[in-house]
Amino acid sequence: MASESLLNQDPVIYHYKLIRKIPLRPEARYSYITTAVMGIGAITAIYRWQGLLSTLIGFLIMTAIHAVVLRLTLRRVDEPSMKRWAFRYDWPWFGPLPVMDTTLWLFRRLHFHLFIVGCCIVGLLYPWAHSSLLVSLVYWHFWLLTPRVTLLFNMIGEKGDGVLRLSSDEVSYYHR
């Protein structure tokens, strides 16, 4: 009788149902890296050595901007999730991204903020920065966001309360 009463209580167990699994093809990763090399080559061809230096500095600055913006936005929006985000190096996931499961609404919100704030920071630097650095900052901003925005376009129509799991081979989307 006691075991029946324990079974009738609602236990706190999370059940996840896999809704979508999006495979990341190796060709997409290679093309992503190739576009980085082509971007560096194009900026270097136009601006010479200053362009090469600007691409390196622009990459470091934009990566730092992404890290700071995501950290500040996470602190403001959902502080407990800060532990689930870290800097990742597995292609195409480069930069500050979730290393554990995260909700789709949080991923959408953070990347909307990241897109807007990144563009605004580049716009603020317009009067003072050299044109090669501005072109480089804009290029790296969009290059870093491309796989994430592509994922968000693939997730249009999905409920925001679902859970995303990013790996280097696939993206899994679950409902609770």
Side-chain angles (χ1 to χ4, degrees), residues 18 33 41 47 52 60 72 78 87-88 103 119 141 145 171:
L18 180 64
I33 293 170
Y47 295 105
L52 181 61
L60 295 174
L72 291 174
D78 191 18
F87 203 88
R88 293 180 64 163
T103 58
C119 290
H141 180 57
L145 286 178
V171 176

Side-chain angles (χ1 to χ4, degrees), residues 145-172:
L145 286 178
T146 298
R148 305 167 196 192
V149 171
T150 303
L151 171 63
L152 289 174
F153 276 126
N154 283 332
M155 301 307 287
I156 287 177
E158 298 293 344
K159 296 179 183 175
D161 61 346
V163 176
L164 280 178
R165 180 177 291 163
L166 304 177
S167 71
S168 60
D169 298 332
E170 65 189 13
V171 176
S172 302

Side-chain angles (χ1 to χ4, degrees), residues 64-105:
I65 289 171
H66 281 206
V68 169
V69 168
L70 282 176
R71 185 155 183 85
L72 291 174
T73 308
L74 271 172
R75 181 173 289 170
R76 195 182 115 246
V77 173
D78 191 18
E79 192 164 345
S81 293
M82 285 179 63
K83 297 174 187 170
R84 297 179 181 178
W85 289 66
F87 203 88
R88 293 180 64 163
Y89 298 99
D90 51 338
W91 298 106
W93 311 120
F94 184 82
L97 284 156
V99 290
M100 298 172 65
D101 299 343
T102 189
T103 58
L104 180 58
W105 74 265

